[in-house]
């Protein structure tokens, strides 16, 4: 089997749609592992809505903070080190994931991509 592509998805940019997309992705493709970052209890609550998917290819990494769309991006990235965006980007930086996707704050994603 080919090596798994590890994609981090910021689940706090939803969480309904990011979790749904993660489930659909692992059902459709056998070469993807999705790492959902965000508030663990919220993510697990959403995942309970789905049953027939390969649970071994969705991981949850807890992040206690959420960057809101209206927050100043530089301030948010610097101050909220345990946000789903920062945690997810660090996983890519550390080589634990191959890509990062978020429907959250575009400004924070831009700043995070530059400084992380």
């Amino acid at each position: 089997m080919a090596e798994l592509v590890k994609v981090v998805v910021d689940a706090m940019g939803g969480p309904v749609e990011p979790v749904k997309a993660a489930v659909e992705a692992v059902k459709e493709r056998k070469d993807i592992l999705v790492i959902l970052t965000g508030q663990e209890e919220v993510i697990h609550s959403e995942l309970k809505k789905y049953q027939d998917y390969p649970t071994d290819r969705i991981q949850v990494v807890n992040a206690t903070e959420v960057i809101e769309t209206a927050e100043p991006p530089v301030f948010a990235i610097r101050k909220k080190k345990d946000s789903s965006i920062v945690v997810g980007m660090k996983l890519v930086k550390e080589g634990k994931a191959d890509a990062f996707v978020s429907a959250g704050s575009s400004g924070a994603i831009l700043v995070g991509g530059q400084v992380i």
Side-chain angles (χ1 to χ4, degrees), residues 7-24:
V7 180
V8 176
V9 176
D10 166 20
M12 296 293 90
V16 174
E17 292 302 319
V19 171
K20 178 182 175 186
V23 170
E24 289 175 0

Side-chain angles (χ1 to χ4, degrees), residues 15-17 19-20 41-50:
V16 174
E17 292 302 319
V19 171
K20 178 182 175 186
E41 64 280 353
V42 173
I43 297 169
H44 284 298
S45 176
E46 281 299 315
L47 282 170
K48 287 180 184 176
K49 296 177 181 178
Y50 304 94

Side-chain angles (χ1 to χ4, degrees), residues 2-109:
E3 188 174 329
L4 288 176
V5 176
K6 298 173 188 163
V7 180
V8 176
V9 176
D10 166 20
M12 296 293 90
V16 174
E17 292 302 319
V19 171
K20 178 182 175 186
V23 170
E24 289 175 0
V26 298
K27 286 173 78 171
E28 187 174 312
R29 301 204 34 180
K30 297 185 184 320
D31 63 341
I32 293 177
L33 175 119
V34 178
I35 303 167
L36 295 165
T37 58
Q39 297 169 337
E40 217 169 12
E41 64 280 353
V42 173
I43 297 169
H44 284 298
S45 176
E46 281 299 315
L47 282 170
K48 287 180 184 176
K49 296 177 181 178
Y50 304 94
Q51 295 168 358
D52 190 27
Y53 70 94
T55 57
D56 61 324
R57 288 195 288 116
I58 293 183
Q59 298 175 357
V60 177
V61 174
N62 191 46
T64 61
E65 298 174 302
V66 176
I67 294 175
E68 301 296 334
T69 304
E71 287 183 75
V74 174
F75 175 82
I77 292 294
R78 287 184 178 158
K79 298 297 180 190
K80 292 188 172 181
K81 300 290 186 191
D82 198 40
S83 68
S84 53
I85 292 173
V86 173
V87 169
M89 288 186 171
K90 283 185 177 178
L91 289 170
V92 175
K93 180 181 179 181
E94 295 166 356
K96 296 177 182 174
D98 303 305
F100 174 80
V101 179
S102 177
S105 168
S106 299
I109 295 162

